[in-house]
Amino acid sequence: MTIEQVSFQLILHAGNSKSFSMEGIKLAYENHFDEAAQKIEEANEELTIAHKSQYDLLSDYSSGKGVELDILLVHAQDHVTSAALMLDLAKEIINLNKKIYLAEQKGGEAK
């Protein structure tokens, strides 16, 4: 696989992960927490695929194989990083929404 193909794979799966994370957040705002959890799982699966491609590049590099560095790969790595951050934040936002929802159901405040 060429470095351009790897870069586009990273962008594709990182983008999918970010989209699923955002869908999870939106579902949590609507109090659909089971569906939100499913979207987070899908986001995690996509990010895992991206990380596998990233690992393969690092493995090639560490074994002495040349890895061509270009701006597309840098851009792709940025997508992976932002997808990982988005996933972590989505989990927190979903958990906060769930706490608020449960507190409101009990007639109290979220703690």
Side-chain angles (χ1 to χ4, degrees), residues 4 13-14 19-20 23 31 41 67-68 72 74 78-79 83 90:
E4 288 84 10
H13 294 292
S19 294
F20 285 132
E23 288 177 30
N31 302 323
E41 181 60 33
V67 175
E68 182 184 334
L72 184 59
V74 171
D78 185 43
H79 274 278

Side-chain angles (χ1 to χ4, degrees), residues 4-67:
E4 288 84 10
Q5 290 170 320
V6 171
S7 297
F8 282 119
Q9 287 294 311
L10 288 169
I11 292 167
L12 169 72
H13 294 292
N16 288 345
S17 179
K18 286 189 279 187
S19 294
F20 285 132
S21 292
M22 286 303 300
E23 288 177 30
I25 291 169
K26 289 177 185 174
L27 286 162
Y29 283 142
E30 298 168 355
N31 302 323
H32 299 296
F33 300 109
D34 290 337
E35 294 93 339
Q38 178 60 39
K39 291 298 178 182
I40 292 302
E41 181 60 33
E42 292 175 54
N44 193 56
E45 289 170 6
E46 288 291 326
L47 189 58
T48 299
I49 294 168
H51 277 142
K52 166 79 170 83
S53 295
Q54 197 176 42
Y55 173 83
D56 291 343
L57 282 176
L58 290 170
S59 180
D60 285 350
Y61 180 78
S62 67
S63 68
K65 294 180 185 175
V67 175

